Amino acid sequence: MAGKAVSIARVFTRATQGIEAPQVSVEVCLAGGLPGFAVVGLPQAGVREARDRVRSAILASGYSFPKATKITVNLAPADLPKYGARYDLAIAIGILVADGQISERAVAGREFYGELTLNGDLREVTGILPAVLRCRDEGREAVIPLDNAEEAAALTVQQCVAAISLRDVFEHLTSPSPLPYIKPSNEKPQLTPHGDIADVIGQEQAKRALLLAASGGHHILFVGPPGTGKTMLAQRLLGLLPPLDERDGLDVAAIRSVSGTLRSVHWQQRILRAPHHSCSAAALVGGGSPPQPGEISLAHRSLLFLDELPEFARHVLDSLREPLESGHVTISRAGHQVTYPAQFQLICALNPSPCGHFDGTLASARATPDQIMRYLGKLSGPLLDRIDMQVDVPRQPDVLKQQHQQADPVTPVWRDYVREARATQLERQGCLNTELKPSQLAEFCKLDDDDHQFLVAAIEQFKLSHRAYHRLLRLARTIADLADAEMISRTHLAEALSFRALDRLLQQLHAS
């Protein structure tokens, strides 16, 4: 007796690997032999469970499921790990094509994404935006769940259709009236009110530091006792930053799409991430299986605020060192690794004493110098080297004696200063000052001989590293840009050196 003819179909979908979306070919083979349903191609547990979801969804949608047939589904390439339920729709369509219920021509030039419920409805999946981007680049049409339509609408150019159920997809492929393309969203990012800088009473140096940090993209550390406005200052920084451009915005949107947080804010809107000091290194830099982005990647092109910095575990803080330099983080797991962008702006705050009572002099603290040194010793020198500004935020009782009055808004005016300073930097060197490479400092941060000797003497006095020297030059360049100065002068260097509050405190403790 002749065996049953072999029928093979192929449809396309995409996996998630960081913010990349590698193509996956779903090959379905219907052949004679003992009935069965096997999924191969390095599927994880969630993918193998697709067998029951797909069978139930096809039957519940009113279509026939191949009987007395050996069904083999191969997810190629086989060396790429496959996670989650995002392959359900592609597997179901592949089976219907192999069984002759949908023509091969109907699926040509299309990709399919979505999780199926037992009654055939489509549920949203994460990582749709990177997949739709790659699908667009390949010139194909993407078929996605309706709940993911808002993510796809972020693209001004795309060919996406959104379906509610497997039946919708079937009719889209077989009827003369296909589903319409998703219309691009014209929504613009709205400036979220984060309060005005004028709300902060006093603290003029700290406010000046905010302007510099926003203009040059510098990292900043606020040092002061509780209740002096450190957290309020960090929140006000977000209002000074301009919206993301389309290129950076799409990178940010891809990360948020993979993490499932894209719809919480506009894709071009910057955010402030503020993890609790009990978070682990994996929560901060990313991890898990499959590897998910951590706080530093979710803060890409935005702000990462770490309050009570010494309360974080030292190994957690040290995990920030490499991303602060490279702008990305690589998460390695057995057999594969994932890279996420992590060009975030770090804002930190700390109380210089574990007792909480410190007004700049040891006499005001209840803790001894040794206790303070052990407390601050949780912060490694290499991490502090990577922070451009250490700003003293002291108590100011004289300011509190004055009656607080409603002040004119400052943030809108300063936002214009920031926009002009950033435009100057991008025109001159193509990047912000904080992103200048050491090889570029000689060209864009030139000093005359006297000013160079002044800076070297200050470096020796504070016992700073070469990395701190480069950080000071970048900060001085930003100060000069805000002053519309072509060259860095000693005045700019002196102001940059004034933002070394923690170094001065440590010198005081060593002297005692």
Side-chain angles (χ1 to χ4, degrees), residues 191-195 197 214 233-242 303 411-412 414-416 418:
L191 291 176
T192 306
H194 297 286
I197 295 174
L233 286 163
Q235 294 170 343
R236 295 319 186 256
L237 177 58
L238 199 59
L240 295 176
L241 301 177
L303 304 180
T411 295
W414 284 17
R415 193 182 298 126
D416 291 337
V418 170

Side-chain angles (χ1 to χ4, degrees), residues 80-99:
L80 178 68
K82 321 296 190 307
Y83 298 93
R86 61 187 299 110
Y87 308 99
D88 288 5
L89 179 60
I91 293 174
I93 295 298
I95 291 174
L96 294 176
V97 171
D99 199 40

